Amino acid sequence: QVQLVESGGGLVQPGGSLRLSCAASGSIFSMLVMGWYRQAPGKQRELVAAMSSGGSTNYQDSVKGRFTISRDNAKNTVYLQMNSLKPEDTAVYYCHAKDVLVGLDYWAQGTQVTVSS
């Protein structure tokens, strides 16, 4: 069982930055595939960025060059640095973990990110 706790959401003006954090416990963090998803009102949840246990990354096209996913295995934490934020980035952001050894997915509670002037 993996527990995920997010922090770092909030209100920011267009062009601003935010960093989301997600602390994991209950499994071998370094073996987890970690990712960030988001869901805007009336839309489906979508992948924003993901990072494998080996450090490979994958980004949604709309955030490439603006968002950066990283992980600190010593702190069991994954981060999402979001720069040059746009109003269309407004959504609830969810941290996700996949334990590929047992084929299970875990979700954090979600944190609201609002980009508005």
Side-chain angles (χ1 to χ4, degrees), residues 32-35 49-59 69-71:
L32 298 174
V33 176
M34 301 299 300
M51 176 175 273
S52 71
S53 58
S56 298
T57 58
N58 181 39
Y59 293 93
I69 187 171
S70 62
R71 63 194 294 164

Side-chain angles (χ1 to χ4, degrees), residues 9 12 35 38 53-54 64 68-70 73-74 78 85 93 110 112-113:
V12 64
R38 67 186 180 188
S53 58
K64 286 180 180 178
T68 303
I69 187 171
S70 62
N73 289 339
V78 64
L85 282 160
Y93 283 71
Q112 178 70 46
V113 171

Side-chain angles (χ1 to χ4, degrees), residues 64-92:
K64 286 180 180 178
R66 300 189 297 122
F67 291 11
T68 303
I69 187 171
S70 62
R71 63 194 294 164
D72 186 336
N73 289 339
K75 296 182 178 180
N76 289 357
T77 301
V78 64
Y79 304 96
L80 184 68
Q81 178 66 44
M82 303 184 292
N83 298 328
S84 302
L85 282 160
K86 304 175 181 180
E88 51 263 42
D89 295 317
T90 296
V92 178

Side-chain angles (χ1 to χ4, degrees), residues 3 7 28 30 42 44 50 68 75 81 87 91 100:
Q3 294 80 43
S7 60
I28 302 174
S30 61
Q44 290 188 330
T68 303
K75 296 182 178 180
Q81 178 66 44
V100 296

